[in-house]
Amino acid sequence: MKRSSWIAAALALVLCAGEAGAQRGTLLYWWTQAGAQGEWLLRTVYDGGSCPAPASVRALPSDSFPVLVCQQRLGPEPVQLPGMPRPAAAPPTRVQRVVAIGDTGCRAKEQDCTDPAAWPFSAVAYRARQADADLAVHVGDYIYRETVSDCGGKLPCGDNWKAWKADWFAPVGELLAAAPWVFARGNHEDCTRGGTGWFLFFDPRDVPANADRCAGTTEPYAVQVPGVGTLLIIDTACAPWYSTGCWSTGGSNPVNDTARAIPAYARQMAQLPALAAGGPAWVVTHVPIWARDYPGQADSIGSSILQGALRRASPGGELPPAVALSLVGHVHAWEALDFAAPRTPVLVLGDGGTSESEGLPASMPSPAGGVAVEGYWAGLAFGHTVLEAADGGWNVRLVPVPATGGGVACSLRNGQLAC
């Protein structure tokens, strides 16, 4: 063989080996989630290589996130990619049982993230997997180790793969692939905190093309769930009074600029009646419009910005009549609130693992925003919540991690919540 032919053959072998190697990226994580246009998506995370057909690249590896994120639409046929021990969770066809969690990341400056007793999210996720739900819901705040002030000087820290893996992907375990998901964005996923990771992994839209790969706020969307109705997903990452993730008053002690935040959220709230499409509907978001929180601050009975937005968007300042329930987080506790008509009952699901809010008031002030609080139940147990269809309504259970507090059982019937 001529020398030139030998070199060409050797180069061809190297190139082929490289291409074959590029196909052999290890599948690290996978899950099924709702899209923003009525579709259901399979997302996969690899340590390199290329996306298997027919998946497309969602995000290429980078210095901060050295993983490949792929995506494909799901149909009715089962999908089992190489590396999956079983087919991916299929889009829901009839939901009878929902498992819901929220506020799951580790607040490293307050919790020992290496101690499951101090940060029990892995136990929460393990027990939630045993619920064998038809649908899983997360109401936001997946990562708490996203800034130096939140990390308390401990590693991993930052909006990067190591922190996201430590706070979410590693501890969530088998729950991630067990059921189709609906994800809401929390304020810890705004663009000053964990926003890049949120868009790479969980936002249903394309990853923003800007340098940060993050967008301040996104439009609400509807997810049709057979057996439940319509889920209205609202991005409230920038709704807390103190948030500067989207709008800021500036100065030495900046807070949220209500002059810009309220009109922005009013435009979103005005879209909800059309998205609800006659109902029944549940709102899924992070920051609660109404909830018990610490007194002496603007959001002591829920987000003052969202309340102001609703007053602009609807004549009575309430959610559309089709909405039967709100699933929210943000307050690090479990709460069930029932109001006089026409206000929607609320479940606060901020008990997924983040250090709990100690010293909250014993009850919700009534009236709240002019509407009587007819029922209020709360707890500080870490756990997950199961909603199970029964007798034309839903039975609701807080399932606590043992030794962290007691459970709560409730029923949702005809627009009223009782525990």
Side-chain angles (χ1 to χ4, degrees):
M1 179 183 290
K2 292 181 179 180
R3 179 177 176 84
S4 59
S5 300
W6 181 87
I7 293 173
L11 286 173
L13 286 172
V14 170
L15 288 172
C16 288
E19 290 175 1
Q23 299 293 329
R24 290 199 297 268
T26 301
L27 178 61
L28 303 176
Y29 302 100
W30 68 93
W31 64 93
T32 298
Q33 72 171 81
Q37 304 296 327
E39 77 278 30
W40 289 86
L41 305 169
L42 173 62
R43 296 258 172 98
T44 48
V45 179
Y46 294 84
D47 65 357
S50 59
C51 295
S56 59
V57 174
R58 177 169 178 82
L60 291 168
S62 65
D63 290 343
S64 296
F65 290 89
V67 291
L68 174 71
V69 186
C70 306
Q71 173 178 295
Q72 67 188 76
R73 287 192 177 213
L74 289 175
E77 303 81 13
V79 174
Q80 185 172 2
L81 300 177
M84 290 184 181
R86 62 189 67 86
T93 56
R94 184 70 180 176
V95 171
Q96 297 289 298
R97 185 180 299 121
V98 179
V99 65
I101 58 176
D103 296 85
T104 51
C106 182
R107 192 182 287 273
K109 64 183 180 182
E110 298 176 3
Q111 296 172 280
D112 181 353
C113 301
T114 65
D115 181 359
W119 177 45
F121 174 42
S122 59
V124 170
Y126 176 81
R127 293 172 66 83
R129 171 66 183 91
Q130 308 313 305
D132 196 23
D134 306 309
L135 181 74
V137 174
H138 196 299
V139 296
D141 279 7
Y142 310 76
I143 181 170
Y144 277 77
R145 293 183 249 192
E146 76 281 15
T147 67
V148 173
S149 62
D150 289 306
C151 294
K154 301 174 184 176
L155 295 175
C157 182
D159 188 5
N160 56 54
W161 172 241
K162 288 183 178 180
W164 271 93
K165 181 180 178 181
D167 254 13
W168 170 256
F169 286 101
V172 73
E174 293 185 0
L175 178 62
L176 183 60
W181 282 87
V182 171
F183 294 111
R185 184 184 184 186
N187 63 299
H188 279 260
E189 289 82 55
D190 74 23
C191 290
T192 66
R193 291 172 151 183
T196 299
W198 162 259
F199 277 97
L200 295 183
F201 301 121
F202 300 125
D203 193 87
R205 307 163 188 85
D206 291 339
V207 177
N210 57 25
D212 294 333
R213 294 185 289 179
C214 190
T217 188
T218 55
E219 295 299 303
Y221 62 97
V223 178
Q224 301 302 322
V225 178
V228 176
T230 304
L231 300 186
L232 304 176
I233 318 303
I234 310 172
D235 179 354
T236 53
C238 292
W241 69 269
Y242 53 80
S243 172
T244 57
C246 292
W247 311 280
S248 173
T249 55
S252 59
N253 191 25
V255 295
N256 209 334
D257 185 355
T258 58
R260 290 183 287 171
I262 290 176
Y265 278 114
R267 288 190 292 272
Q268 294 199 23
M269 297 297 179
Q271 300 177 47
L272 299 185
L275 290 173
W282 295 357
V283 163
V284 177
T285 193
H286 181 65
V287 178
I289 302 170
W290 301 101
R292 170 202 65 164
D293 207 336
Y294 289 114
Q297 46 131 347
D299 291 353
S300 61
I301 57 170
S303 170
S304 56
I305 286 174
L306 295 180
Q307 293 164 15
L310 259 184
R311 286 192 293 270
R312 290 195 183 194
S314 64
E318 302 293 340
L319 291 167
V323 176
L325 179 66
S326 289
L327 300 178
V328 301
H330 192 56
V331 181
H332 297 169
W334 190 93
E335 302 181 17
L337 298 99
D338 189 64
F339 299 92
R343 185 168 297 164
T344 301
V346 177
L347 288 174
V348 180
L349 311 174
D351 58 336
T354 303
S355 55
E356 298 283 45
S357 298
E358 301 287 348
L360 289 168
S363 62
M364 175 84 169
S366 182
V371 177
V373 180
E374 296 190 336
Y376 178 81
W377 304 268
L380 285 177
F382 291 106
H384 68 278
T385 297
V386 175
L387 300 96
E388 192 155 14
D391 303 323
W394 293 84
N395 292 335
V396 180
R397 291 183 295 120
L398 163 61
V399 182
V401 172
T404 67
V408 183
C410 312
S411 64
L412 178 65
R413 302 284 187 281
N414 302 314
Q416 297 294 303
L417 185 63
C419 302

